[in-house]
C-alpha cells in the first residue's frame, strides 16, 4: 500500500512539473522578453527618443490655426405707431421681429523666419535619431 501511494505521488508530481515546464528554450526566452520590466522601460525610452526628430521638426514648420464662430440674436418689439394711410392721426399696435444669424471663419498661418533654438533642437533630435539607427544596425548584425 505504501509503495502504491509513493508511486501515485511520484506520478502526480512528475505530471505537474511536466505541465509547468515550457515547451522549449525559445518559449522561455519569449516569456522572459514579454515580462521583463527593464526591457519594457528601455523600449519605451527608445520609442520616445525616436520621435525626437519629428517633434523638433514640427517647431520649424508653419503653424496653422482655425476657428469658427456662430451668433444668433432674436429681438421682438411691440408698440404703437402712427398710421398715415388714412390721412388722420391714428395710432395702431405693431409687432416687429428681428432675427439675425452671424457666422465667422478664421484661418491663421504663422511661420517663423528665424528661430535659432528650434533649429538647434531639430539638429539635436536628428543626431539622436542617427545614433539610435546606428545602435540598432550594430545590434541587428550580431
Amino acid at each position: 500500500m505504501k509503495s502504491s501511494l509513493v508511486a501515485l505521488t511520484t506520478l502526480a508530481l512528475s505530471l505537474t512539473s511536466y505541465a509547468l515546464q515550457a515547451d522549449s528554450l525559445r518559449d522561455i526566452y519569449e516569456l522572459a522578453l514579454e515580462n521583463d520590466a527593464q526591457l519594457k522601460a528601455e523600449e519605451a525610452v527608445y520609442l520616445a527618443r525616436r520621435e525626437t526628430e519629428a517633434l523638433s521638426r514640427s517647431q520649424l514648420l508653419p503653424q496653422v490655426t482655425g476657428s469658427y464662430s456662430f451668433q444668433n440674436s432674436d429681438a421682438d418689439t411691440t408698440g404703437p405707431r402712427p398710421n398715415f394711410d388714412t390721412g388722420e392721426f391714428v395710432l395702431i399696435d405693431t409687432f416687429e421681429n428681428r432675427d439675425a444669424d452671424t457666422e465667422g471663419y478664421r484661418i491663421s498661418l504663422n511661420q517663423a523666419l528665424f528661430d535659432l533654438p528650434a533649429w538647434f533642437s531639430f539638429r539635436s533630435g536628428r543626431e539622436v535619431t542617427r545614433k539610435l539607427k546606428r545602435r540598432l544596425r550594430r545590434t541587428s548584425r550580431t
Side-chain angles (χ1 to χ4, degrees):
M1 175 93 167
K2 243 183 181 182
S3 63
S4 64
L5 182 63
V6 170
L8 283 174
T9 305
T10 306
L11 179 64
L13 287 175
S14 66
L15 289 175
T16 305
S17 66
Y18 178 75
L20 293 177
Q21 290 179 355
D23 290 339
S24 68
L25 187 57
R26 180 168 182 83
D27 293 339
I28 295 171
Y29 176 72
E30 287 175 2
L31 282 172
L33 286 180
E34 289 175 14
N35 298 315
D36 187 10
Q38 180 65 33
L39 187 61
K40 293 287 184 187
E42 290 294 326
E43 182 182 17
V45 168
Y46 167 76
L47 292 173
R49 286 186 178 166
R50 196 173 72 179
E51 294 299 318
T52 305
E53 182 180 3
L55 289 173
S56 59
R57 182 184 309 120
S58 69
Q59 296 174 0
L60 297 172
L61 298 175
Q63 306 297 312
V64 178
T65 57
S67 65
Y68 169 77
S69 64
F70 176 80
Q71 183 178 6
N72 178 305
S73 63
D74 189 10
D76 294 334
T77 308
T78 59
R81 171 176 78 85
N83 186 0
F84 297 107
D85 293 339
T86 61
E88 297 179 9
F89 184 75
V90 179
L91 291 176
I92 59 172
D93 288 332
T94 61
F95 174 78
E96 187 178 355
N97 179 334
R98 291 184 183 162
D99 188 13
D101 292 337
T102 307
E103 289 184 279
Y105 301 93
R106 180 178 177 169
I107 296 177
S108 174
L109 174 72
N110 296 318
Q111 172 67 55
L113 296 177
F114 183 72
D115 190 353
L116 192 59
W119 176 251
F120 283 136
S121 176
F122 170 68
R123 295 285 304 249
S124 172
R126 190 166 57 180
E127 189 60 33
V128 167
T129 303
R130 283 183 186 158
K131 285 180 182 177
L132 287 172
K133 286 180 182 178
R134 273 189 248 136
R135 186 182 305 162
L136 189 62
R137 276 191 230 122
R138 272 188 263 150
T139 56
S140 65
R141 289 181 195 160
T142 57

